[in-house]
Amino acid sequence: MINWVNADKPIAQLILAHGAGAGMDSEFMVTMANNLAKLGVTVGLFDFEYMQQAKLEGKKRPPQRAPKLLAYFESILAEVDANLPLFIGGKSMGGRMASMLACEQSVKGVVAFGYPFHPPGKPEKLRIEHFPDLKAPLAIIQGERDTFGKKYEVESYPVCDNVHTFWIPDGDHSLVPRKASGLTQLQNWQTAAEIASQFIAKQL
């Protein structure tokens, strides 16, 4: 079941998957969807099955394994508007799942906000082995201070030509800057939405 945030004159649609700990109604997901809709991209939000269950029970549940998440994500794509160019993406885990799905499915491109390159404190556990199999370009919009992949780390990784990393100044895993940076959360989220919409427009 997709919750649509519609642009007035959409150039494309982006199906956006949530991160491991917060569903489609989180502040990040809702704000990003609204920012993108104002920039001409219709956004579809959904909850994975484990998150639906967690909301029903009123308690946190861990994410399912990748094959189940990918199968559900794929089933969601059956609901998209066939007349609009299709992009997929997500926040953290959702962005990783979208990139894995793009190795199988035909989409115009993938947008990952805060890609989980590795678990915090475990830089050796890299999650980029599927990147060479991507069938579409991937935009990674990453905070410079993200503990799942800081700028100095990511810039040393051997990523392929169709993976494009864009840096959000002083951003953490949710692209939020520190007060001392002089930037605000909303400014960084707006910047991220603008980068995503420009990337989408470039693929059309």
Side-chain angles (χ1 to χ4, degrees), residues 8-132:
D8 280 344
K9 291 179 181 171
I11 58 165
Q13 60 192 325
L14 171 64
I15 309 302
L16 208 53
H18 60 76
M24 67 176 175
D25 50 1
S26 72
E27 186 187 8
F28 180 91
M29 296 295 286
V30 171
T31 304
M32 196 55 64
N34 283 307
N35 286 355
L36 284 162
K38 287 176 189 150
L39 293 165
V41 179
T42 284
V43 179
L45 302 175
F46 70 94
D47 278 334
F48 286 110
E49 291 165 298
Y50 82 91
M51 186 59 69
Q52 296 171 27
Q53 196 66 34
K55 288 178 179 178
L56 279 175
E57 295 171 356
K59 60 183 184 189
K60 288 201 166 190
R61 292 177 73 95
Q64 292 149 297
R65 312 265 319 161
K68 281 210 161 164
L69 296 174
L70 290 169
Y72 190 73
F73 202 151
E74 195 171 346
S75 75
I76 284 289
L77 299 186
E79 293 180 47
V80 301
D81 180 345
N83 298 313
L84 271 178
L86 174 62
F87 291 78
I88 58 176
K91 164 87 174 75
S92 189
M93 177 196 81
R96 183 180 171 219
M97 291 304 121
S99 68
M100 290 167 78
L101 197 56
C103 298
E104 313 290 334
Q105 290 281 316
S106 176
V107 294
K108 289 278 186 190
V110 186
V111 181
F113 297 98
Y115 188 85
F117 283 96
H118 59 72
K122 295 180 179 173
E124 71 285 356
K125 292 196 170 176
L126 266 186
R127 297 165 173 154
I128 60 173
E129 65 285 343
H130 62 286
F131 282 7

